[in-house]
Amino acid sequence: MKTLILSSNGPETPSIAAEIIKSGELVAIPTETVYGLGADGLNPEAVAKIFLAKGRPQDNPLILHVAEAADMEKFCHNIPQAAYILAEKFWPGPLTMVLPAKDCVPLETRAGLPTVAVRCPDNAVTREIIRLSGVPVAAPSANISGKPSTTTAEHVLHDHDGKIAAVVDGGPCRVGVESTIVDLTEDRPRLLRPGGITPEQLMEVLGDLVVDKAVVAQIDKDAVAKAPGMKYKHYAPQAEVVIVAGSRENAAAYIRSHFVPNDRVLCFEEELPLYSGCNPLSYGREADTATLSAGLFAALRELDSPGIGRVYARCPDGGGIAYAVQNRLKKAAAFRIIDPEVEV
Ligand code: TXA
Ligand code: MG
Protein backbone atom coordinates (compact mmCIF):
# COMPACT_ATOMS: atom_id res chain seq x y z
CA MET A 1 0.00 0.00 0.00
CA LYS A 2 1.12 3.56 -0.62
CA THR A 3 1.46 5.49 2.66
CA LEU A 4 -0.11 8.96 2.36
CA ILE A 5 1.86 11.79 3.94
CA LEU A 6 -0.59 14.39 5.26
CA SER A 7 0.65 17.75 6.53
CA SER A 8 -0.89 18.62 9.88
CA ASN A 9 -1.54 22.13 8.46
CA GLY A 10 -3.59 20.78 5.56
CA PRO A 11 -7.22 21.88 5.90
CA GLU A 12 -8.45 18.45 4.77
CA THR A 13 -6.05 16.46 6.95
CA PRO A 14 -8.31 15.89 9.98
CA SER A 15 -11.22 14.65 7.86
CA ILE A 16 -9.03 12.42 5.64
CA ALA A 17 -7.29 10.89 8.67
CA ALA A 18 -10.62 10.41 10.47
CA GLU A 19 -12.08 8.61 7.44
CA ILE A 20 -9.12 6.23 7.39
CA ILE A 21 -9.61 5.48 11.09
CA LYS A 22 -13.33 4.91 10.60
CA SER A 23 -12.53 2.49 7.76
CA GLY A 24 -10.45 0.34 10.13
CA GLU A 25 -7.00 1.26 8.78
CA LEU A 26 -3.93 2.70 10.52
CA VAL A 27 -2.84 6.36 10.63
CA ALA A 28 0.26 7.58 12.44
CA ILE A 29 -0.59 10.71 14.42
CA PRO A 30 1.60 13.37 16.02
CA THR A 31 1.26 14.07 19.72
CA GLU A 32 3.25 16.27 22.09
CA THR A 33 5.10 13.17 23.36
CA VAL A 34 5.85 10.84 20.42
CA TYR A 35 4.06 9.79 17.21
CA GLY A 36 1.36 7.17 17.78
CA LEU A 37 0.16 4.43 15.45
CA GLY A 38 -3.57 5.08 15.57
CA ALA A 39 -6.61 2.94 14.86
CA ASP A 40 -10.25 2.71 15.95
CA GLY A 41 -9.88 1.54 19.55
CA LEU A 42 -13.35 -0.02 19.56
CA ASN A 43 -12.70 -2.16 16.46
CA PRO A 44 -10.83 -5.39 17.29
CA GLU A 45 -9.81 -5.96 13.65
CA ALA A 46 -8.31 -2.48 13.35
CA VAL A 47 -6.52 -2.95 16.69
CA ALA A 48 -5.10 -6.28 15.46
CA LYS A 49 -3.45 -4.37 12.58
CA ILE A 50 -1.54 -2.24 15.11
CA PHE A 51 -0.13 -5.34 16.80
CA LEU A 52 0.83 -6.79 13.42
CA ALA A 53 2.50 -3.61 12.09
CA LYS A 54 4.56 -3.13 15.27
CA GLY A 55 5.32 -6.78 15.95
CA ARG A 56 3.89 -6.06 19.39
CA PRO A 57 3.44 -8.85 21.96
CA GLN A 58 -0.26 -9.67 22.35
CA ASP A 59 -0.22 -9.18 26.12
CA ASN A 60 0.73 -5.49 25.84
CA PRO A 61 -2.37 -3.26 26.05
CA LEU A 62 -2.91 0.00 24.15
CA ILE A 63 -3.71 3.52 25.31
CA LEU A 64 -7.08 4.95 24.23
CA HIS A 65 -6.75 8.57 23.10
CA VAL A 66 -9.77 10.79 23.65
CA ALA A 67 -10.60 14.24 22.26
CA GLU A 68 -11.70 15.65 25.61
CA ALA A 69 -11.56 14.76 29.27
CA ALA A 70 -15.30 14.13 29.59
CA ASP A 71 -14.95 11.21 27.14
CA MET A 72 -13.16 9.08 29.73
CA GLU A 73 -16.58 8.39 31.25
CA LYS A 74 -17.60 6.60 28.04
CA PHE A 75 -14.84 4.01 28.43
CA CYS A 76 -14.15 3.84 32.17
CA HIS A 77 -16.25 3.31 35.29
CA ASN A 78 -15.73 3.72 39.04
CA ILE A 79 -13.60 6.74 38.22
CA PRO A 80 -11.98 8.09 41.40
CA GLN A 81 -12.07 11.79 42.21
CA ALA A 82 -8.29 11.93 41.71
CA ALA A 83 -8.72 11.14 38.00
CA TYR A 84 -11.00 14.14 37.53
CA ILE A 85 -8.55 16.40 39.33
CA LEU A 86 -5.58 15.11 37.29
CA ALA A 87 -7.53 15.47 34.03
CA GLU A 88 -8.53 19.02 34.94
CA LYS A 89 -4.95 19.95 35.74
CA PHE A 90 -2.92 18.06 33.12
CA TRP A 91 -5.18 17.34 30.10
CA PRO A 92 -4.69 17.82 27.28
CA GLY A 93 -1.15 16.73 28.11
CA PRO A 94 1.42 13.98 28.58
CA LEU A 95 -0.46 12.01 31.25
CA THR A 96 -2.10 8.59 30.87
CA MET A 97 -4.42 7.22 33.56
CA VAL A 98 -5.18 3.53 34.08
CA LEU A 99 -8.82 3.13 35.16
CA PRO A 100 -11.42 0.32 35.34
CA ALA A 101 -12.63 -0.41 31.78
CA LYS A 102 -16.23 -0.46 30.64
CA ASP A 103 -17.30 -3.51 28.62
CA CYS A 104 -17.44 -1.44 25.41
CA VAL A 105 -13.62 -1.43 25.32
CA PRO A 106 -12.65 -4.58 23.40
CA LEU A 107 -10.43 -7.08 25.18
CA GLU A 108 -8.01 -6.81 22.22
CA THR A 109 -7.39 -3.13 23.02
CA ARG A 110 -6.69 -3.74 26.71
CA ALA A 111 -4.99 -7.12 26.20
CA GLY A 112 -7.58 -8.87 28.33
CA LEU A 113 -7.13 -6.63 31.39
CA PRO A 114 -10.08 -5.33 33.44
CA THR A 115 -8.53 -1.84 33.15
CA VAL A 116 -7.85 0.57 30.31
CA ALA A 117 -5.31 3.36 29.85
CA VAL A 118 -6.70 6.72 28.66
CA ARG A 119 -5.07 9.94 27.59
CA CYS A 120 -6.07 13.25 26.01
CA PRO A 121 -3.08 14.38 23.91
CA ASP A 122 -1.94 18.00 23.65
CA ASN A 123 -2.10 18.29 19.87
CA ALA A 124 -5.05 20.18 18.40
CA VAL A 125 -4.98 18.47 14.99
CA THR A 126 -4.81 15.01 16.53
CA ARG A 127 -7.68 15.82 18.88
CA GLU A 128 -9.68 17.03 15.86
CA ILE A 129 -8.92 13.73 14.07
CA ILE A 130 -10.17 11.80 17.12
CA ARG A 131 -13.28 13.98 17.37
CA LEU A 132 -14.15 13.58 13.68
CA SER A 133 -13.55 9.82 13.75
CA GLY A 134 -16.18 9.54 16.49
CA VAL A 135 -14.24 6.80 18.30
CA PRO A 136 -11.39 6.70 20.83
CA VAL A 137 -8.11 6.18 18.99
CA ALA A 138 -5.91 3.35 20.25
CA ALA A 139 -2.31 4.38 19.67
CA PRO A 140 0.95 2.92 20.89
CA SER A 141 4.21 4.69 20.08
CA ALA A 142 4.62 4.18 16.32
CA ASN A 143 8.02 2.45 16.47
CA ILE A 144 8.57 -1.21 15.64
CA SER A 145 8.33 -3.01 19.00
CA GLY A 146 11.53 -2.80 21.04
CA LYS A 147 13.03 0.05 19.01
CA PRO A 148 13.38 3.70 20.02
CA SER A 149 10.10 5.62 19.78
CA THR A 150 9.23 7.83 16.84
CA THR A 151 9.43 11.60 17.32
CA THR A 152 9.20 12.70 13.65
CA ALA A 153 7.15 11.63 10.62
CA GLU A 154 10.44 10.48 9.02
CA HIS A 155 10.95 8.04 11.91
CA VAL A 156 7.44 6.68 11.31
CA LEU A 157 8.09 6.25 7.58
CA HIS A 158 11.40 4.54 8.31
CA ASP A 159 9.52 1.87 10.30
CA HIS A 160 6.20 1.67 8.40
CA ASP A 161 6.39 3.15 4.89
CA GLY A 162 4.12 1.09 2.63
CA LYS A 163 2.57 -0.75 5.59
CA ILE A 164 0.13 1.87 6.94
CA ALA A 165 -2.49 4.03 5.22
CA ALA A 166 -1.13 7.45 6.26
CA VAL A 167 1.07 9.53 8.51
CA VAL A 168 0.12 13.01 9.67
CA ASP A 169 3.29 15.10 9.71
CA GLY A 170 3.19 17.54 12.61
CA GLY A 171 6.97 18.10 12.85
CA PRO A 172 9.17 16.97 15.75
CA CYS A 173 7.39 16.16 19.04
CA ARG A 174 7.80 18.76 21.78
CA VAL A 175 8.24 16.51 24.84
CA GLY A 176 9.98 13.64 23.05
CA VAL A 177 9.39 10.85 25.58
CA GLU A 178 6.09 9.02 26.07
CA SER A 179 3.43 10.09 28.53
CA THR A 180 3.57 9.56 32.27
CA ILE A 181 1.38 6.59 33.22
CA VAL A 182 -0.35 6.51 36.60
CA ASP A 183 -2.52 3.60 37.74
CA LEU A 184 -5.52 4.76 39.77
CA THR A 185 -7.19 1.36 40.20
CA GLU A 186 -5.57 0.39 43.51
CA ASP A 187 -5.64 1.82 47.02
CA ARG A 188 -2.63 3.99 46.29
CA PRO A 189 -1.76 5.77 43.00
CA ARG A 190 1.11 4.02 41.26
CA LEU A 191 3.58 5.47 38.76
CA LEU A 192 3.99 2.91 35.96
CA ARG A 193 6.07 5.06 33.60
CA PRO A 194 7.66 8.49 34.14
CA GLY A 195 7.15 11.12 31.43
CA GLY A 196 6.32 14.76 30.76
CA ILE A 197 4.17 15.13 33.88
CA THR A 198 6.75 14.70 36.61
CA PRO A 199 6.47 12.68 39.85
CA GLU A 200 6.73 15.99 41.69
CA GLN A 201 3.68 17.35 39.83
CA LEU A 202 1.70 14.16 40.56
CA MET A 203 2.64 14.22 44.24
CA GLU A 204 1.47 17.79 44.54
CA VAL A 205 -2.02 16.77 43.40
CA LEU A 206 -2.26 13.24 44.82
CA GLY A 207 -0.27 13.62 48.03
CA ASP A 208 0.87 10.01 47.58
CA LEU A 209 2.57 7.99 44.84
CA VAL A 210 4.06 4.49 44.72
CA VAL A 211 6.81 4.09 42.12
CA ASP A 212 6.39 0.72 40.41
CA LYS A 213 9.50 -1.45 40.45
CA ALA A 214 9.48 -1.68 36.62
CA VAL A 215 10.39 2.02 36.56
CA VAL A 216 13.68 1.49 38.36
CA ALA A 217 14.79 -2.04 37.46
CA GLN A 218 14.67 -4.62 34.71
CA ILE A 219 11.63 -6.88 35.07
CA ASP A 220 11.87 -10.50 33.99
CA LYS A 221 10.03 -10.97 30.69
CA ASP A 222 8.01 -13.86 32.14
CA ALA A 223 6.91 -11.83 35.16
CA VAL A 224 3.47 -10.27 35.59
CA ALA A 225 4.06 -6.53 35.24
CA LYS A 226 1.59 -3.79 36.12
CA ALA A 227 2.31 -2.09 32.77
CA PRO A 228 3.05 -5.10 30.58
CA GLY A 229 5.06 -2.95 28.16
CA MET A 230 7.62 -2.14 30.83
CA LYS A 231 9.03 -5.66 31.04
CA TYR A 232 10.12 -5.92 27.41
CA LYS A 233 13.48 -4.87 25.97
CA HIS A 234 12.83 -1.35 24.82
CA TYR A 235 14.26 1.70 23.12
CA ALA A 236 17.46 -0.15 22.28
CA PRO A 237 19.63 0.43 19.24
CA GLN A 238 21.43 -2.60 17.77
CA ALA A 239 24.67 -1.73 19.55
CA GLU A 240 25.19 -2.41 23.26
CA VAL A 241 24.49 0.77 25.23
CA VAL A 242 26.38 1.36 28.49
CA ILE A 243 25.70 4.32 30.76
CA VAL A 244 28.82 5.88 32.23
CA ALA A 245 28.04 7.76 35.46
CA GLY A 246 30.24 10.14 37.44
CA SER A 247 31.62 13.63 36.91
CA ARG A 248 32.24 14.95 33.41
CA GLU A 249 36.00 14.59 33.76
CA ASN A 250 35.99 11.08 35.27
CA ALA A 251 33.47 9.80 32.74
CA ALA A 252 35.47 11.25 29.84
CA ALA A 253 38.69 9.73 31.16
CA TYR A 254 37.03 6.32 31.47
CA ILE A 255 35.37 6.43 28.05
CA ARG A 256 38.46 7.73 26.25
CA SER A 257 40.57 4.96 27.71
CA HIS A 258 38.10 2.20 26.72
CA PHE A 259 36.98 3.64 23.37
CA VAL A 260 37.79 1.57 20.26
CA PRO A 261 37.02 2.46 16.62
CA ASN A 262 33.32 2.02 15.72
CA ASP A 263 32.22 2.79 19.29
CA ARG A 264 30.14 5.93 19.76
CA VAL A 265 29.60 8.40 22.60
CA LEU A 266 26.12 9.76 23.37
CA CYS A 267 26.65 12.84 25.51
CA PHE A 268 25.43 16.29 26.51
CA GLU A 269 26.19 19.20 24.20
CA GLU A 270 28.38 20.74 26.91
CA GLU A 271 30.59 17.62 26.83
CA LEU A 272 31.29 17.49 23.07
CA PRO A 273 34.79 19.06 23.41
CA LEU A 274 35.80 16.27 25.83
CA TYR A 275 35.22 13.60 23.17
CA SER A 276 37.04 14.90 20.12
CA GLY A 277 38.17 11.92 18.05
CA CYS A 278 35.51 9.65 19.67
CA ASN A 279 32.69 10.42 17.23
CA PRO A 280 30.39 11.94 19.90
CA LEU A 281 26.70 12.61 19.35
CA SER A 282 24.91 15.14 21.55
CA TYR A 283 21.22 14.70 22.37
CA GLY A 284 20.67 18.03 24.13
CA ARG A 285 21.96 20.32 26.85
CA GLU A 286 22.47 19.08 30.41
CA ALA A 287 21.64 22.58 31.62
CA ASP A 288 18.21 22.35 29.92
CA THR A 289 16.87 18.83 30.46
CA ALA A 290 13.81 19.41 28.24
CA THR A 291 16.22 19.42 25.27
CA LEU A 292 17.47 15.99 26.38
CA SER A 293 13.98 14.44 26.43
CA ALA A 294 13.19 16.08 23.08
CA GLY A 295 16.40 14.76 21.48
CA LEU A 296 16.85 11.33 23.05
CA PHE A 297 14.93 9.07 20.66
CA ALA A 298 16.23 10.74 17.48
CA ALA A 299 19.76 10.18 18.81
CA LEU A 300 19.08 6.54 19.75
CA ARG A 301 17.68 6.00 16.25
CA GLU A 302 20.77 7.51 14.69
CA LEU A 303 22.83 5.05 16.72
CA ASP A 304 20.68 2.11 15.58
CA SER A 305 23.10 0.99 12.90
CA PRO A 306 24.82 -2.39 12.47
CA GLY A 307 28.31 -0.87 12.14
CA ILE A 308 28.39 0.50 15.68
CA GLY A 309 30.21 -1.39 18.43
CA ARG A 310 29.42 0.01 21.84
CA VAL A 311 27.59 3.21 22.76
CA TYR A 312 28.86 4.98 25.88
CA ALA A 313 26.01 7.15 27.12
CA ARG A 314 25.81 10.02 29.56
CA CYS A 315 22.62 10.30 31.60
CA PRO A 316 21.28 13.36 33.46
CA ASP A 317 20.77 13.27 37.24
CA GLY A 318 17.80 14.54 39.17
CA GLY A 319 14.03 14.75 39.04
CA GLY A 320 11.57 16.47 36.74
CA ILE A 321 11.80 15.43 33.10
CA ALA A 322 15.35 14.14 33.73
CA TYR A 323 13.73 11.27 35.65
CA ALA A 324 11.95 10.14 32.46
CA VAL A 325 15.16 10.47 30.43
CA GLN A 326 16.98 8.29 32.99
CA ASN A 327 14.24 5.66 32.75
CA ARG A 328 14.40 5.45 28.91
CA LEU A 329 18.17 5.50 28.75
CA LYS A 330 18.53 2.84 31.46
CA LYS A 331 16.10 0.63 29.56
CA ALA A 332 17.99 1.22 26.30
CA ALA A 333 21.11 0.14 28.23
CA ALA A 334 19.34 -2.85 29.86
CA PHE A 335 20.43 -1.25 33.16
CA ARG A 336 24.18 -1.61 32.40
CA ILE A 337 25.72 1.28 34.33
CA ILE A 338 29.42 1.83 34.95
CA ASP A 339 30.57 4.22 37.65
CA PRO A 340 34.25 4.99 37.01
CA GLU A 341 34.49 6.63 40.43
CA VAL A 342 33.77 3.22 41.96
CA GLU A 343 35.57 1.04 39.38
CA VAL A 344 38.96 2.82 39.32
O1 TXA B 1 2.88 9.24 25.02
C1 TXA B 1 2.32 8.16 24.88
O2 TXA B 1 1.75 7.58 25.82
C2 TXA B 1 2.32 7.53 23.48
C3 TXA B 1 1.53 8.45 22.57
C4 TXA B 1 1.34 7.89 21.18
O3 TXA B 1 0.31 8.77 23.17
N1 TXA B 1 1.83 6.20 23.51
C5 TXA B 1 2.53 5.18 24.07
O4 TXA B 1 1.95 3.94 23.94
O5 TXA B 1 3.60 5.33 24.60
P1 TXA B 1 2.77 2.56 24.15
O6 TXA B 1 1.80 1.52 23.73
O7 TXA B 1 4.04 2.63 23.46
O8 TXA B 1 2.98 2.48 25.69
C6 TXA B 1 1.84 2.24 26.52
C7 TXA B 1 2.25 1.62 27.80
C8 TXA B 1 2.71 0.18 27.68
O9 TXA B 1 3.82 -0.01 28.54
C9 TXA B 1 1.50 -0.62 28.16
O10 TXA B 1 1.87 -1.84 28.74
C10 TXA B 1 0.91 0.33 29.18
O11 TXA B 1 1.08 1.60 28.62
N2 TXA B 1 -0.54 0.12 29.38
C11 TXA B 1 -1.52 0.25 28.47
N3 TXA B 1 -2.73 -0.11 29.00
C12 TXA B 1 -2.49 -0.46 30.28
C13 TXA B 1 -3.30 -0.93 31.36
N4 TXA B 1 -4.60 -1.12 31.23
N5 TXA B 1 -2.69 -1.20 32.54
C14 TXA B 1 -1.36 -1.01 32.69
N6 TXA B 1 -0.54 -0.58 31.71
C15 TXA B 1 -1.09 -0.31 30.52
MG1 MG C 1 6.01 2.26 23.12
Side-chain angles (χ1 to χ4, degrees):
M1 107 180 22
K2 172 131 181 58
T3 301
L4 273 179
I5 303 173
L6 303 167
S7 164
S8 71
N9 299 325
E12 306 291 321
T13 290
S15 55
I16 298 170
E19 283 308 317
I20 297 173
I21 287 169
K22 281 198 260 184
S23 76
E25 294 299 328
L26 306 183
V27 184
I29 46 173
T31 81
E32 79 283 25
T33 59
V34 300
Y35 277 73
L37 192 55
D40 176 351
L42 300 183
N43 176 347
E45 282 166 28
V47 164
K49 291 179 188 169
I50 295 179
F51 282 87
L52 194 66
K54 277 183 62 91
R56 183 177 177 98
Q58 294 292 333
D59 70 347
N60 195 359
L62 304 175
I63 296 173
L64 276 188
H65 294 69
V66 292
E68 52 192 294
D71 287 347
M72 73 178 161
E73 294 185 339
K74 297 180 187 163
F75 312 111
C76 308
H77 63 96
N78 292 342
I79 301 174
Q81 195 54 32
Y84 290 99
I85 300 170
L86 289 174
E88 169 72 28
K89 209 165 161 60
F90 299 121
W91 278 0
L95 177 71
T96 296
M97 295 191 274
V98 174
L99 294 165
K102 282 192 172 168
D103 290 344
C104 63
V105 182
L107 290 170
E108 288 80 358
T109 302
R110 48 190 158 112
L113 295 176
T115 58
V116 64
V118 282
R119 152 165 141 81
C120 181
D122 186 14
N123 182 298
V125 173
T126 286
R127 281 204 311 283
E128 181 65 1
I129 294 170
I130 301 168
R131 202 180 61 74
L132 292 176
S133 71
V135 289
V137 171
S141 53
N143 54 286
I144 298 284
S145 254
K147 289 294 179 188
S149 297
T150 39
T151 55
T152 65
E154 289 74 32
H155 294 163
V156 175
L157 288 169
H158 176 274
D159 287 13
H160 298 293
D161 196 11
K163 293 192 296 169
I164 61 175
V167 54
V168 177
D169 187 349
C173 299
R174 175 173 58 81
V175 178
V177 293
E178 306 88 336
S179 61
T180 304
I181 304 179
V182 62
D183 182 349
L184 298 172
T185 64
E186 296 180 343
D187 294 346
R188 299 178 64 192
R190 179 181 288 267
L191 179 70
L192 300 184
R193 181 174 74 183
I197 300 302
T198 65
E200 295 85 343
Q201 287 174 298
L202 290 177
M203 268 303 279
E204 210 178 299
V205 174
L206 298 169
D208 182 29
L209 188 66
V210 180
V211 176
D212 195 72
K213 61 178 186 296
V215 172
V216 287
Q218 181 74 54
I219 300 293
D220 190 88
K221 72 172 180 11
D222 298 321
V224 177
K226 291 274 179 196
M230 296 298 272
K231 71 187 181 198
Y232 292 107
K233 179 169 179 263
H234 218 151
Y235 314 121
Q238 294 171 50
E240 179 187 81
V241 179
V242 181
I243 293 172
V244 182
S247 71
R248 268 184 199 168
E249 292 68 27
N250 287 345
Y254 178 90
I255 292 170
R256 294 192 72 93
S257 68
H258 289 77
F259 187 91
V260 296
N262 299 329
D263 287 350
R264 295 291 304 263
V265 178
L266 178 63
C267 65
F268 311 128
E269 198 176 305
E270 295 94 326
E271 297 180 318
L272 285 171
L274 296 171
Y275 295 105
S276 59
C278 295
N279 210 355
L281 175 67
S282 144
Y283 64 109
R285 291 186 299 285
E286 188 180 21
D288 180 1
T289 42
T291 63
L292 296 173
S293 71
L296 180 65
F297 285 133
L300 287 174
R301 284 187 160 256
E302 192 173 329
L303 296 172
D304 187 20
S305 151
I308 297 176
R310 215 172 209 215
V311 175
Y312 293 101
R314 293 284 289 155
C315 185
D317 292 325
I321 190 71
Y323 190 62
V325 173
Q326 287 155 29
N327 170 263
R328 304 307 191 276
L329 206 46
K330 283 178 183 169
K331 283 183 171 289
F335 291 86
R336 284 182 292 264
I337 303 169
I338 292 168
D339 187 346
E341 286 156 23
V342 174
E343 292 228 340
V344 289

